[in-house]
Structure formats: structure tokens, C-alpha cells
Amino acid sequence: MPLFEYTGFDSKGKKVSGVIEASGKKVGLQKLRDKGIYATTLSEEVAARESSGKFSANLFRPSVSTMELAAATRQMATLLGAGLPLDEALTTVSSQLENPTLSRSFSRVREEVVRGESLHASLAGQGRIFPPLYVNMIEVGENSGTLEQVLQRLADFLEEQVRMKSRLRAALAYPILMAVIGTGVLIFLVTFVVPKVTRMLEDLGQALPWPTLMLIRGSDLLVNYGWVLALLVAAGLVGFSRYRRSANGRMTLHRLALAIPVIGRLNLLIATSRFARTLGTLLQSGLPLLNALDITRNLLQNLVLRQAIEETTASVREGEGLSAPLKRAAVFPPMLTQMTAIGEKSGEMETMLFRVADAYDHEVELAITGALSLLEPLMILLMGSVVGFIVMAILLPIFQASQGIS
């Protein structure tokens, strides 16, 4: 059944907006009148957008960022804490959001809540806008009567995720930009500048030194057979993409991602921090351990770590504690198993998990800062060496020619 967006006024003259499900415009208007809402606009924008095809919808529909979802969640918690009913809080949040996709989602959720649907079920019906972690925590908050507190924890959790991603992006922005610009400059030199200079050097009619010969051969290879190299690179990328999508390929690559020196350690720490923080947040909100492990497992992108959590979940389901299966898996850092063991004995599992997450976040930040402090001069040295080799290869025959003339 189509969905219609409307704006109008209720019986008290208050401006309202939202989404209503109806078979047609007339039926939609009648439904609104039955609710005491007098519509000023009623458009089938949502239905038209959905019927335009999945490809175009995914291509042009604005995405919902974690920061936008965190801000909306924080606003919901504040409004509920101020005493507003749930439907009014949803209406207020929907009307103030700038992202149209998220605004429509909250409008649909409000319509379902008004019809008597639970909040978590309404959120689950919005596709991928609200992740399983979000929906399950809302369900716990509804069942325990602590929806406001759960929303606050969710907002804190989402904002911490955004802060971590922002720090990583900011740290990697300069090296990536430098690598792209440096590579572009080198390709320009070898493709356009070097061939003109080397033709002049070949006209000198003298024996060229080996650096110059290497430069000439490399430049000729890139100019004459660059398209072959491009095809080989494209074929390699396609083959790698297919291998990565296969079951064996994915598992092999994910093992490799944890085994690479330095980078593997960082990948493990980041994944462990996310696992610990998510599990702690779910347990703090009142979710049972088995359900929390199931949700957290799906958030891990590395198949090796996900398999370890699956085995841990099976052991916990059989009555075992959390720390012993994690230790047997032998993939997570020792601090995680030690702190979970302390948490099991002291009854403060959530606190211990948050401490693990904070410690690893701090370690990751220090490691990235230290690596970048070495990476930047290494990149400068590498680029300088390549440019220096090109300059030396060009100048050596010129110096030899000048000495012969003198």
C-alpha cells in the first residue's frame, strides 16, 4: 500500500506532519480527518521514489550517517526526559532533522507507534536505517521502562564511534593525499617530461650511463605499453575482487589482515575495542549475554574473530563463562580475557569491558600517531629518491657531454 507524506493542522490548530498509509489520496485525506488532522499537503513522494527502481533509489537517496543518527537519538532522549509522550517526541525529531531519509523514517515510525506498534518493531521495519544493535537496545529499554536511559547510552555509543572514525580519517588524510599527489607528479614526469628530454640526450650520440638508460626504458615502457599495464592492473583487481568474495578467499585475507606486522596488530586492537564497547553497552542496557554476543558477533567484519565469537557463544550457551572460551580462541589480546575474568568474579563485567575498550582506543591512537610520525618522512624520502634518480639520470649525460667539449 502506498505511503503519503502530509502536513497540516490538528484540532487544536497545531501544525503537524508525518506519513500515512492509504490506497489513494482520497482515502488518505479521510483517514487524516478521522484522526482530527486537516491536511494542507498530501504527496505520494515516498511511493514514487520506491517505484522508481532499486538502483536509482540507492544511487540518489541521501544516506544516513552515524553522526546524524546519534544526534537524533540524543534529541529523543532529551525530549522523553522532559516528559513529552513518545509520539510527540518522534514528531518533533522528524520535523527538525535535515536528512530527508532519516526524517521520513522517524515519521513512519511515529505512524506505526500511534497505531499501537511498539517502538522497536517500528524501527526494525525501516530497513537498514536502524542497525540491529539499535533496535535490540530500544527493545530492552521499552521492556524495562528505561527507554530514556537506553537512548542516552545509544547516543554516547554512536558518538564514540564517530569520534574514533574521525581520528583515524584525520590521521590518514595527509599521508594518503601526499601519496596521491606524489604518484601523479611522477607519472606526469615519466610520461610527458622525460621522453622529450631523453630524445635530446639520444641526439648527443654518446654512450649513455646506466641510470639514463633505465629511465629511457622505463619511460618508453610506460608511454608505449601503458595501456597493457592498465589492463593487467584492471584484470588483477577483478581477479582479486572475485577471490575476496569467495569463502576461502575471504577467510585467507581476513587471517592475513591480522597477521601483517604492525597493521595486523592495529586491526586486532580496533576490532577488540569495538567488540568490548558494544558488548558492554548491550549488557549495561539489560540485554542477556547470549543475545548480546549474537548482536556483537554480527558487527565484527573479520571472519576469524567472528568465528571465535561463534565458538564462544556456543560455549556460553552450554553453561560456561565468557572469559574461558575467549582465552581458548587465542585470537583476542590477553587483556580482554583477563578483564572479562575479573568482571565475572566481581560482577562488574560492563565496567571491565569499557576499560578494555578505552585502553585499546588509547593504544590505537598512540600507535597510529607513532606510525604516521615515521610514515611521513619515509614517504618524503621515497619521493625524493625517485625524483633525485630522475634528475641524476637526466643530468649525468649532460655533464659528460660538457666534459667532452671542454
Side-chain angles (χ1 to χ4, degrees), residues 227-306:
W227 61 275
V228 177
L229 295 176
L231 286 177
L232 290 175
V233 170
L237 291 175
V238 171
F240 176 77
S241 178
R242 289 183 178 179
Y243 178 71
R244 188 182 61 180
R245 286 197 295 267
S246 67
N248 292 333
R250 289 180 64 196
M251 183 61 73
T252 301
L253 291 174
H254 286 193
R255 284 199 187 97
L256 183 62
L258 297 177
I260 300 174
V262 182
I263 296 177
R265 171 72 176 173
L266 284 178
N267 287 332
L268 179 61
L269 293 182
I270 292 171
T272 305
S273 170
R274 188 179 187 188
F275 166 76
R277 192 175 299 282
T278 306
L279 185 61
T281 302
L282 291 170
L283 294 177
Q284 190 181 58
S285 300
L287 208 67
L289 178 59
L290 284 172
N291 294 347
L293 285 171
D294 285 333
I295 296 171
T296 309
R297 181 193 66 224
N298 294 327
L299 295 177
L300 292 174
Q301 297 179 352
N302 190 286
L303 293 181
V304 177
L305 300 181
R306 187 181 296 183

Side-chain angles (χ1 to χ4, degrees), residues 133-203:
L133 166 70
Y134 196 100
V135 175
N136 281 275
M137 286 186 64
I138 293 296
E139 182 179 6
V140 172
E142 284 185 299
N143 294 335
S144 61
T146 58
L147 184 58
E148 176 194 345
Q149 292 87 342
V150 167
L151 285 168
Q152 292 282 6
R153 290 175 192 149
L154 260 175
D156 292 338
F157 175 77
L158 294 172
E159 288 168 358
E160 181 60 32
Q161 276 193 326
V162 172
R163 280 193 291 269
M164 186 62 186
K165 290 180 181 178
S166 298
R167 288 196 293 265
L168 288 173
R169 287 172 183 167
L172 295 174
Y174 177 73
I176 291 174
L177 179 64
M178 191 174 178
V180 170
I181 293 176
T183 304
V185 170
L186 291 177
I187 291 175
F188 174 77
L189 286 174
V190 174
T191 306
F192 297 100
V193 177
V194 171
K196 295 179 180 180
V197 176
T198 53
R199 278 198 298 269
M200 180 190 70
L201 296 177
E202 289 174 340
D203 292 339

Side-chain angles (χ1 to χ4, degrees), residues 52-69:
S52 63
K54 291 183 179 179
F55 176 77
S56 60
N58 291 332
L59 185 62
F60 297 107
R61 184 177 60 190
S63 60
V64 177
S65 68
T66 306
M67 191 67 243
E68 289 172 326
L69 185 58

Side-chain angles (χ1 to χ4, degrees), residues 361-376:
D361 283 345
H362 184 63
E363 187 174 343
V364 166
E365 193 169 354
L366 290 177
I368 291 176
T369 303
L372 290 178
S373 64
L374 294 175
L375 180 62
E376 291 175 10

